[in-house]
Each structure stands twice: as structure tokens, then as C-alpha cells.
Amino acid sequence: MSRSIGVVTPAVRRKLALLGGAPAFAEPVYITRPRLPERAVFDGLIDTIFQTRWLTNDGTLVRRLEERLQLRLGTGFCRTFCNGSIALLTALRSLDLRGEVITTPFTFPATVHAIEWAGLTPVFCDVDAATYNLDAACAAELISERSAALLPVHVFGNPCDVAAIDALAQAHGLRVVYDAAHAFGVVHRGRPIGCWGDLSIFSFHATKPFHSAEGGAVVGSDARLFADLGALRNSGIRSEDLVLGVGLNGKLSELHAAMGLAVLDLLDDEIRKRAALAGRYRAQLAGLPGVIFQQVPAQTVPNHAFFTVEIDADRFGCSRDALHLALRAENIVARKYFHPLCSDNEAYRRLPSAQPQRLPNAQRLAARILCLPLYGDLPEDHVDRIADCVLSVHDAAAAVGAAMDACPP
Ligand SMILES: *Cc1c(COP(=O)(O)O)cnc(C)c1O
């Protein structure tokens, strides 16, 4: 296919590594790299720990972090946890639920595992084809007398249809816990993302835009839940003489809080850098046949936790899997988030709601989605070269598809 002379795009692209060319990168470019604070800032916080000899159990750094997170997240309260999974499990326990929880299969496995660990039954609901989030109309059809709660995920940081979900929950007397693990710092309809539903949870894992190496939080506004969450994360201990409820140890340590405090100062800069890089990807990939971007709802300030492309094989020329393989040969570590679907896990496949034909949008998405490397310190020229590799794969799609077919599975 000849291109017009004089455009920025070269007429002949680089020879792909999968087809015998030299890889675009000598070292692997990973999907993400954690943002690290200045060593001196971190050391200053660690000095506090050595001075106080206070390592965990409501120390000064955890309390300072919780205060700052509550301000940043604009919620009534913020309880930190040792990770997002335990935050979610404890959030579900604090609501004292029985029965079924309606959720999305297009998420990180921890979302669904938390439901099962809390002694509840997951019910999988299909997603919206454009926003990738739980489809409220599908959820309505899954509600029964066994339903206890909705657990939607703001997937890739993209806000759910919060108005429809909250209306549905109210109409049926259901609780709502949002998995906002990807959505730290996102603002939607003029409000921080943690303001909807009964509770929201965040993950501060090293792979998330805001992190404390490992960590997480539950946010909400109900004072009773605030007290219960505090006791539940501390083995159910309410006072020296009162232990109540099935608690666990879900506490964040002072060491992790130190990392969290130091990284929090860098978050706005991190999001700003990601926004510029995501814009750069978009500018170079927009209009490429068969490349689709996630639809972001109106009135959203995103955090650019991920940069995703959805590959329509018929129009792009080869499949997502072929593109993934070709990028890997270039030393570009793109990831197929979230494939396989949680509903295809052998632990959940037996559920009636897990049947693939009941989840057509999620199934199609899991076969087509690809996340490209994105983090604040990713050099601009890396974005350009990664985008160029995607364009080159499109140009050589037939040969890439054939090479893919020749590869043993
Ligand atoms: C990361 C993540 C979690 C779990 O968080 P951890 O801190 O890794 O336990 C939960 N849900 C989603 C959607 C996530 O991406």
C-alpha cells in the first residue's frame, strides 16, 4: 500500500523482529515501572520510624497517610490496609452480607476472589462494549432475592455508570462496593471517584499509579462502618476487653506508609506525565484501522492508569494475539489485561452466570484487549517507537498472522 510522499509516516517501515529484523528495543520495555521518591525524602520518613521504634499498629505515619488520603480522596473516612485484596475482603465482611454479589468478569482476579473469601457467591454480569465497565441493564436482569450487593470495577480507572448503578441498588435495597483499585485520583462529575456507593476500595500495589509498594484502603462516609473496618483489620480487637467479629490482620505497616507518603507527593506529576504520553500514543494510533480506544464517560478527569487498545482483527489485519507476539519480539512487554476472564477460572466456571454465551461483550473484549507500556518515566521516544511498531505490524499484518500460525501454541 503506497503512502503519499511528504507525510511524516515513512513509506517503508522497519522490518519487524518477528519477521527477521532487529528488535526495536535492546532491553525489555515493561508495561509499568513504579514511581520512586527521592531517596532523601524516603530516608527522612524512615528516620521517624527509627526514632519512635513504632513499626505498625496505628503509628504516626499510617495516621498521617490516612489523613492525607482522606483529603485527597474527598471521602468521609479512609482506612488503610496491607493490600487491596484484604481491603476488599474486609469491606465486604463489614457490610455483613449473605448470598450473591453481582460483579464483572473483566477485572483482575482479586475482585472475584474477595467475594468467595467473604463466603459470598459471585454472579457475573456482562460489560458495556465501549466503556468496558459493568452494564447496569444486564445487572438489573441478574437481581434476585439472593442478591446482597453490587461490586462494579472502575476498570482501567474508567468511571462506571455510577448514577445507574446507585439507582439500581436503591431500587432493590442492595449495597454497593466499588473496586476502585485502578482509579486513584480520578474525578467524575465533579466528585472524587471514591464518593459513590457504600464503600470503595483502592490498591496501593507497586503497579498502580499511586502506591506504597504493597497497600490498599477502604473509603466511605458511614461512621459505623469506619469503626467496624478499624476493628476488623486489627483481628476484631475493639478494646483491651472487647473482641468482636471475625477479624484478620489487615494493617499497613509504618514502612509501607513511609513509601506511600513519599509517593503521594509525586502523584500529580505522575498523572501529568502519563496524560502527555497517553495523548502521544493516541495521536499516533488514532485512525489506524481496527484499533479502538476505551470510551471515557463525559465529565471525567482520568488518571491514565493504563493505555489500552482493542484490536478488531478483521480491520487491523491480524489478531490481538499476533500483535502481542510481534511486540514481544521487539522487547515490548504489552499485556493482555484482562484475559482470561475471571469467569473462565476453573474455580468459577461451574457458576451458571459464568457461561461464555451469557457474557458476549466481556468474551469479545478479553480476546481483543491489549495494554501498552505506560508510566511517568517512560521516555517519549519509547512511545513513538512502540506506536511505530504497532503501525508496522498493521502494515505487515498478513505476514505477522502467518508467523503467528507457524508458532507452536
Ligand atoms: C490490583 C487490583 C486489586 C488487588 O489489589 P492488591 O493490592 O494487589 O491486593 C483488586 N482489584 C483490581 C481491579 C486490581 O487491579
Side-chain angles (χ1 to χ4, degrees):
M1 311 303 109
S2 67
R3 292 175 190 273
S4 52
I5 310 291
V7 294
V8 180
T9 325
V12 179
R13 292 191 178 280
R14 48 185 310 284
K15 184 166 186 185
L16 291 167
L18 188 70
L19 304 176
F25 295 93
E27 300 289 329
V29 180
Y30 293 106
I31 184 85
T32 193
R33 283 183 88 188
R35 184 72 184 253
L36 284 176
E38 294 283 334
R39 187 61 190 271
V41 173
F42 183 64
D43 286 351
L45 291 159
I46 295 297
D47 284 346
T48 314
I49 297 173
F50 275 77
Q51 283 151 20
T52 59
R53 277 211 181 191
W54 198 300
L55 296 175
T56 187
N57 288 8
D58 274 328
T60 51
L61 298 184
V62 160
R63 276 185 281 128
R64 200 190 305 168
L65 180 63
E66 288 181 338
E67 278 164 27
R68 288 194 51 196
L69 291 174
Q70 183 190 336
L71 285 176
R72 171 86 203 202
L73 294 168
T75 49
F77 69 76
C78 173
R79 288 286 204 200
T80 54
F81 281 81
C82 54
N83 61 52
S85 301
I86 296 295
L88 180 52
L89 167 59
T90 311
L92 292 170
R93 284 297 304 212
S94 74
L95 294 171
D96 199 22
L97 308 169
R98 304 276 179 282
E100 296 180 347
V101 177
I102 297 169
T103 193
T104 165
F106 188 72
T107 181
F108 186 69
T111 308
V112 181
H113 295 334
I115 297 172
E116 193 78 22
W117 277 97
L120 300 159
T121 305
V123 172
F124 293 108
C125 173
D126 205 7
V127 297
D128 180 85
T131 65
Y132 309 165
N133 281 326
L134 186 116
D135 182 331
C138 286
E141 289 172 20
L142 294 168
I143 292 174
S144 73
E145 67 281 358
R146 294 181 300 280
S147 307
L150 301 171
L151 174 41
V153 179
H154 302 298
V155 82
F156 304 135
N158 207 30
C160 290
D161 186 349
V162 287
I165 288 166
D166 286 10
L168 191 62
Q170 260 186 356
H172 294 89
L174 303 177
R175 297 288 209 158
V176 183
V177 178
Y178 283 103
D179 182 338
H182 300 164
F184 194 99
V186 171
V187 176
H188 183 49
R189 297 172 167 224
R191 295 168 71 191
I193 197 69
C195 290
W196 281 277
D198 293 286
L199 295 169
S200 293
I201 72 100
F202 293 93
S203 164
F204 306 152
H205 188 257
T207 54
K208 314 281 167 75
F210 167 68
H211 75 90
S212 57
E214 292 273 7
V218 180
V219 300
S221 56
D222 183 326
R224 164 98 192 272
L225 290 176
F226 173 68
D228 288 348
L229 286 161
L232 284 173
R233 78 171 174 189
N234 188 28
S235 305
I237 300 168
R238 296 206 178 227
S239 70
E240 254 183 283
D241 298 309
L242 183 63
V243 180
L244 209 63
V246 185
L248 44 51
N249 178 3
K251 298 184 299 289
L252 189 75
S253 80
E254 290 288 284
L255 292 147
H256 291 92
M259 182 62 87
L261 282 165
V263 172
L264 192 55
D265 286 335
L266 307 171
L267 182 67
D268 289 326
D269 181 63
E270 174 69 19
I271 293 177
R272 217 170 12 246
K273 285 179 167 166
R274 285 171 179 247
L277 296 171
R280 214 172 165 92
Y281 268 131
R282 260 182 184 268
Q284 296 181 56
L285 297 176
L288 188 60
V291 171
I292 302 155
F293 302 126
Q294 184 183 26
Q295 192 183 92
V296 178
Q299 298 184 61
T300 299
V301 183
N303 68 350
H304 304 283
F306 295 84
F307 186 84
T308 67
V309 288
E310 193 186 330
I311 301 299
D312 174 353
D314 290 340
R315 289 166 56 225
F316 185 72
C318 67
S319 67
R320 181 278 312 270
D321 287 345
L323 172 61
H324 176 255
L325 188 75
L327 294 180
R328 226 14 116 83
E330 306 292 347
N331 257 326
I332 300 164
V333 187
R335 298 295 301 269
K336 303 181 213 175
Y337 296 145
F338 289 99
H339 164 93
L341 292 180
C342 294
S343 48
D344 288 333
N345 179 334
E346 157 282 303
Y348 307 116
R349 251 187 337 228
R350 66 193 150 77
L351 297 168
S353 66
Q355 293 163 30
Q357 68 273 18
R358 301 183 68 160
L359 305 164
N361 289 344
Q363 287 288 345
R364 188 181 51 243
L365 191 54
R368 306 201 325 179
I369 197 79
L370 195 64
C371 291
L372 300 179
L374 182 67
Y375 49 90
D377 292 335
L378 183 68
E380 284 182 349
D381 88 285
H382 282 33
V383 169
D384 297 347
R385 285 153 70 194
I386 294 166
D388 188 60
C389 286
V390 176
L391 290 156
S392 302
V393 172
H394 169 68
D395 283 357
V400 170
M404 165 89 189
D405 291 341
C407 272

